[in-house]
Amino acid sequence: MKLSLPLAMLLALSLAPAARAANEADYKAAYAAAEAASKEAAGMRNQWTVTVSALAAAKKAADGGDFDRAVAASREAEALAKASIFQATSEKEAWKAMEIR
């Protein structure tokens, strides 16, 4: 039993995919998706300031050559932008249910 646990851990680690460092192409793709979502949110007049900050952080990290952090910040910005879009669309009609009649 004592031998099977280390063996199982070794097997699990060997099957895990190797971590790959992000490159400039990964950053550009992630940033483009985040920027598109951010522009959509801005068009709905519901762009969150934290989205803009995350995009700026992504650009700063990429300018410094840290593409891992740039991709992470871009994905965070995209998630924030999509959340703001969801908020805008869900609250577009939801306010009517709260109206006093």
Side-chain angles (χ1 to χ4, degrees), residues 60-80:
K60 183 177 179 181
D63 289 344
D66 188 354
F67 294 113
D68 288 330
R69 192 169 358 141
V71 168
S74 295
R75 289 182 179 153
E76 178 185 3
E78 182 181 11
L80 289 167

Side-chain angles (χ1 to χ4, degrees), residues 26-45:
D26 296 332
Y27 157 70
K28 286 182 178 182
Y31 190 85
E35 194 172 39
S38 180
K39 285 181 182 180
E40 183 180 348
M44 300 173 92
R45 300 182 55 124

Side-chain angles (χ1 to χ4, degrees), residues 8-100:
M9 289 175 57
L10 182 63
L11 182 61
L13 290 175
S14 68
L15 294 177
R20 180 179 71 81
N23 59 26
E24 189 174 1
D26 296 332
Y27 157 70
K28 286 182 178 182
Y31 190 85
E35 194 172 39
S38 180
K39 285 181 182 180
E40 183 180 348
M44 300 173 92
R45 300 182 55 124
N46 198 45
Q47 185 179 37
W48 295 349
T49 57
V50 292
T51 305
V52 176
S53 299
L55 283 171
K59 190 162 190 65
K60 183 177 179 181
D63 289 344
D66 188 354
F67 294 113
D68 288 330
R69 192 169 358 141
V71 168
S74 295
R75 289 182 179 153
E76 178 185 3
E78 182 181 11
L80 289 167
K82 287 182 177 181
S84 66
I85 292 166
F86 176 78
Q87 179 188 36
T89 54
S90 66
E91 291 184 5
K92 190 173 186 177
E93 297 294 322
W95 68 271
K96 293 177 183 177
M98 299 168 96
E99 185 178 303
I100 299 174

